[in-house]
Amino acid sequence: MQCQIDPNVKFTYRDDKGKVLGTALFATAQQMDLSTTSLQWSETDQIVLTQTTGQLPPLTISWTATCTPTCNPGTTTMWNNQPVTLGNRLEKTYKITDKPPTTPATKYDYLDMTYTLDIRAANSIPITPPITWDSELRCDANLSITNTSGCVVHWFTPTLFIYRAAYGSSADMIDWAQKNLSDHWGLKGKGQPLHRLQKKSQADSNRQAICGATKFTKDPTITDDSCDEFPFAGTYESGALNGVDHGKDCAQVTAVKKGSGTDLPTVWPTVAVIGTPSGNEKCVRGHIPGPLNSDLGGAYGNFVISARLADDDAFWLRVAS
């Protein structure tokens, strides 16, 4: 979703010599509710006259929304010469549907929503053009996520939250890498965003380069030991795409056991560093209990779907309690 609020829309009424006779202050608000599983969305637009000064004749507003290039309807009229009075709020909700090509489904639709607001005083001549502004969104059919269609605010960079309570040492490994390795992958304020890699065959190849059967030896002292890597194989920041062809060249960590029982995030909550990494490694590889590794990978997969990330879309990653 996206919102736009402007509490300071001004209208000035002058005589034929340019002297100000009166003013009006409007507030506008908009909310666009997109769906990651539908090509239809709803928008609610509001306007209220909040303040007047001097002597004003009756005021009217006209407000239209235009969506291009593949929207239906292309133009929606919220109000046309609608009288407005002090304190009276106007509100309208309407729906728009995008129709991107589906055969073949090879194109993202980058849509422009353009709004026009015209404020008029009775029996007056307008000397300035209507107010215009815009917003942008992206829709696709079966491109970013298989067998679904949907729309997102593509210029916003979402954040993937990874919780220690759910992923234990796998989350701690990411936290250690973000804080101690020079690239600080996905750490807002220090590093650059991560970027989704959509091509599965490339992600599988990345995973083999870092964690292939001949490149990783399991530690029998760790429950269901598995090779965990960060940045994820399904990102363009994967070590395998940045000069690493063997996981031994990543920084190395191992899960640390802190208790007993079946709650793996509690039993294996943290990692310890193996050796003396330089801090300039292009990846980190860890001995992590398999369920924690796979659950965190599933969280990334679910995030890709919920945010409808396209190939090379950016996202931040934050480890939280």
Side-chain angles (χ1 to χ4, degrees), residues 6-286:
D6 189 345
N8 198 36
V9 180
K10 297 178 179 178
F11 175 83
T12 303
Y13 180 63
R14 304 174 186 271
D15 65 16
D16 57 0
K17 294 180 173 57
K19 180 182 177 181
V20 175
L21 300 179
T23 66
L25 185 66
F26 292 84
T28 64
Q30 299 172 270
Q31 179 169 314
M32 182 186 293
D33 292 301
L34 303 173
S35 170
T36 56
T37 56
S38 173
L39 293 173
Q40 184 179 84
W41 66 92
S42 64
E43 178 164 335
T44 299
D45 295 338
Q46 302 177 59
I47 186 168
V48 59
L49 176 57
T50 61
Q51 181 181 313
T52 62
T53 66
Q55 297 297 316
L56 284 172
L59 299 179
T60 62
I61 66 151
S62 298
W63 185 335
T64 61
T66 302
C67 182
T68 59
T70 54
C71 301
N72 183 32
T75 299
T76 301
T77 299
M78 274 68 75
W79 299 282
N80 185 28
N81 295 321
Q82 172 69 41
V84 289
T85 56
L86 187 63
N88 181 33
R89 178 172 59 88
L90 301 176
E91 177 178 334
K92 183 170 183 178
T93 299
Y94 54 97
K95 294 185 181 296
I96 300 177
T97 303
D98 184 40
K99 293 188 177 181
T102 56
T103 308
T106 58
K107 180 183 177 183
Y108 287 94
D109 270 0
Y110 292 89
L111 304 176
D112 290 317
M113 290 289 296
T114 302
Y115 305 95
T116 302
L117 173 61
D118 194 11
I119 304 170
R120 296 288 184 95
N123 302 312
S124 67
I125 300 173
I127 58 174
T128 57
I131 304 166
T132 61
W133 67 101
D134 60 17
S135 61
E136 298 179 343
L137 62 146
R138 183 187 71 203
C139 297
D140 74 272
N142 308 311
L143 287 183
S144 57
I145 308 298
T146 304
N147 296 325
T148 68
S149 301
C151 304
V152 295
V153 182
H154 61 286
W155 46 264
F156 173 76
T157 303
T159 298
L160 167 59
F161 287 88
I162 297 297
Y163 294 96
R164 291 178 176 275
Y167 310 112
S169 53
S170 189
D172 192 54
M173 182 186 78
I174 294 174
D175 188 53
W176 179 86
Q178 286 187 321
K179 292 177 178 177
N180 292 282
L181 298 183
S182 59
D183 285 323
H184 308 291
W185 305 283
L187 183 59
K188 195 171 185 178
K190 280 195 172 183
Q192 297 298 312
L194 294 156
H195 296 80
R196 182 201 177 189
L197 170 65
Q198 185 170 2
K199 190 175 181 181
K200 184 179 182 302
S201 60
Q202 181 63 67
D204 291 342
S205 177
N206 294 346
R207 193 170 294 106
Q208 286 299 310
I210 306 300
C211 288
T214 63
K215 300 180 178 183
F216 178 80
T217 302
K218 292 187 176 184
D219 182 345
T221 67
I222 295 177
T223 303
D224 297 325
D225 187 26
S226 69
C227 178
D228 199 357
E229 64 180 298
F230 183 75
F232 305 133
T235 65
Y236 280 94
E237 289 68 32
S238 168
L241 290 179
N242 291 279
V244 179
D245 59 9
H246 196 298
K248 65 180 177 58
D249 296 322
C250 301
Q252 308 292 316
V253 300
T254 185
V256 176
K257 190 174 184 179
K258 293 293 180 70
S260 60
T262 59
D263 183 35
L264 290 180
T266 302
V267 177
W268 300 90
T270 60
V271 296
V273 178
I274 301 172
T276 54
S278 69
N280 294 318
E281 287 83 1
K282 295 299 180 183
C283 47
V284 60
R285 185 175 75 168

